[in-house]
Amino acid sequence: MDAERVKADLEHYVGLGSKVSGSPGDTAAGAWMEARLQALGFATTRQTIQTPYFDLTRAELAVGETTKPVLPLAIVTPTPPEGVAGRLAVGEPWSKPQDLTGAIALIPLTHARWSSAKVEAVRRPTAAALAAGAAAVILITTGPTGEAIQLNADGDKPMFDRPVAVLSPKDAAAFLAAAGSTARLTVTGAGGFRPAFNLMGRRDKGHGRWLVVSTPRSGWTACAGERGPGVAVWMGLADWASRADLPVDLAFVCNSGHEYENLGAARMLEEIAPRPTETAMWLHLGANVAARDWHELGGQLAPLPSPDPQRILMATPDLLAPCREAFAGQPGLEAPYAAGAGAAGELTHILASGYPKVAGVFGVHRFHHVAGDDLRCVDARFTAAALEGFKRLIRAALA
């Protein structure tokens, strides 16, 4: 029954479409998860947060007869309606002092599973190009799929004062060959801030200490592999924990604002989360809980009947042995790391808040933050296996 329910939950979540914070898909996903908690006897509350948005009219880079779409970096700094034109400067010549006044700087990033614009490998060359006078920066996010990878960014203010956008590697060849030519970047539309919400469901059984289970639900795409398994496991654990004889009260948290550098999680921890002294255990279900693995064959991806092992399970020292037992035979999860340096995503904020007993998953699957993160990227069997592992871990942690 778990596998059937997991499959249905994955399909429903993905079917809601884009999960950008505050969008119809994000809002519908939050309402659906809230209704599930209420049906299980949880008392639910919504915490309203303000998240950036930008409704695109045009977003493209052109040189000569070639025009290709780009993904503007949030918070979006638009161009004038006619765009920004300038000499196309390719590579990293700005590592040595030179004048890039008025240029459009095209920066090919090394091959990686990119996720955030705040990492040094993205932020530093972008800032250097702008400091040298570039009118705009285009990042080529070289990665496993050849598609443009949308990057997480600051949710309070624009990271840069001039337009920055992402170009897909598959579209980059003509622009790389046109170094020195005049290019035009056009990014137009309307944006600002809009409301989204974090969700908290509580079942107070009078034990005086909480089991907290959290997961983000928002993201740049339909988020099948990135968010879907975490959401489905969260649902499954809520159903199981509401019936299991656990010596804790239950708090299930679902955050929006994730793609804005964990904006929703930070607000939740500040205002509505149970305090560390009241919490028996916090389990966080981040990105890539159980996405599909793929072979990379000559520029093509071939699906595999196994989960992507690039999923990191991190836990406080007292939970490392229970983690190894609970996830024996599950690639990636079977080799937990001690919580601390190297944590990513919302887990970073949870650990920094001082919760004494924490376990959390994070990772980047091959279709992370690209438009192709759809139902091909999940298999209910992988998610159901992870769900069983988390049940075992919770039992052991609370024993």
Side-chain angles (χ1 to χ4, degrees):
M1 289 183 64
D2 270 350
E4 292 175 3
R5 186 182 299 113
V6 161
K7 184 174 184 293
D9 286 344
L10 286 170
E11 290 175 350
H12 184 84
Y13 173 79
V14 176
L16 293 173
S18 170
K19 308 302 187 310
V20 174
S21 296
S23 68
D26 172 46
T27 301
W32 168 60
M33 297 167 80
E34 181 178 39
R36 181 71 63 86
L37 290 184
Q38 290 171 344
L40 295 171
F42 286 78
T44 62
T45 57
R46 294 186 180 191
Q47 178 192 29
T48 300
I49 60 174
Q50 294 297 317
T51 58
Y53 78 96
F54 192 82
D55 292 331
L56 280 175
T57 303
R58 291 176 66 191
E60 60 190 30
L61 179 66
V63 62
E65 298 298 315
T66 301
T67 300
K68 295 294 182 181
V70 295
L71 301 175
L73 180 69
I75 295 172
V76 176
T77 300
T79 67
E82 69 277 11
V84 170
R87 171 176 61 89
L88 194 60
V90 177
E92 291 198 34
W94 40 86
S95 59
K96 298 179 181 178
Q98 73 168 274
D99 184 9
L100 290 177
T101 301
I104 295 177
L106 186 62
I107 303 177
L109 300 176
T110 58
H111 190 285
R113 301 185 188 188
W114 296 100
S115 182
S116 173
K118 296 195 82 171
V119 298
E120 191 76 355
V122 175
R123 186 185 56 78
R124 182 173 60 182
T126 302
L130 295 173
V137 172
I138 308 296
L139 302 165
I140 302 172
T141 49
T142 311
T145 66
E147 301 294 335
I149 301 173
Q150 184 68 273
L151 300 173
N152 289 353
D154 189 292
D156 293 319
K157 61 184 185 302
M159 289 181 61
F160 306 104
D161 63 358
R162 276 155 277 171
V164 177
V166 168
L167 176 69
S168 76
K170 71 176 185 179
D171 290 337
F175 298 99
L176 292 170
S181 302
T182 298
R184 183 178 299 275
L185 172 67
T186 306
V187 175
T188 60
F193 286 80
R194 65 186 175 191
F197 66 90
N198 296 331
L199 172 67
M200 170 78 80
R202 297 174 184 256
R203 281 195 63 174
D204 188 340
K205 299 181 177 182
H207 293 288
R209 58 184 194 150
W210 295 92
L211 165 66
V212 184
V213 182
S214 59
T215 194
R217 70 172 186 274
S218 69
W220 297 116
T221 70
C223 300
E226 180 188 1
R227 299 265 84 91
V231 167
V233 168
W234 187 89
M235 297 277 222
L237 289 176
D239 180 67
W240 167 76
S242 67
R243 295 179 286 104
D245 183 22
L246 299 175
V248 286
D249 306 317
L250 306 176
F252 275 67
V253 179
C254 172
N255 299 317
S256 187
H258 174 84
E259 64 273 32
Y260 299 107
E261 289 298 328
N262 316 308
L263 184 151
R267 301 288 191 272
M268 178 270 301
L269 284 161
E270 290 168 3
E271 298 174 13
I272 66 171
R275 298 298 91 197
T277 54
E278 306 167 335
T279 303
M281 178 189 180
W282 191 307
L283 173 64
H284 181 67
L285 304 165
N288 194 23
V289 166
R292 182 185 299 281
D293 202 7
W294 301 74
H295 269 150
E296 296 183 37
L297 297 169
Q300 301 296 315
L301 292 175
L304 290 169
S306 55
D308 189 331
Q310 194 62 28
R311 47 181 178 170
I312 309 300
L313 176 57
M314 190 171 278
T316 46
D318 56 325
L319 292 182
L320 290 175
C323 282
R324 282 190 284 268
E325 276 192 43
F327 292 99
Q330 296 202 41
L333 300 178
E334 63 191 346
Y337 293 85
E346 298 183 11
L347 181 60
T348 307
H349 298 265
I350 295 164
L351 291 170
S353 297
Y355 288 87
K357 187 174 290 199
V358 177
V361 180
F362 59 91
V364 179
H365 75 119
R366 284 179 174 82
F367 285 83
H368 188 82
H369 290 192
V370 306
D373 188 8
D374 54 30
L375 281 171
R376 299 169 303 159
C377 298
V378 291
D379 185 311
R381 295 171 299 170
F382 312 154
T383 301
L387 171 59
E388 291 306 312
F390 287 115
K391 290 179 186 178
R392 291 191 290 267
L393 174 58
I394 290 170
R395 285 282 194 195
L398 299 180

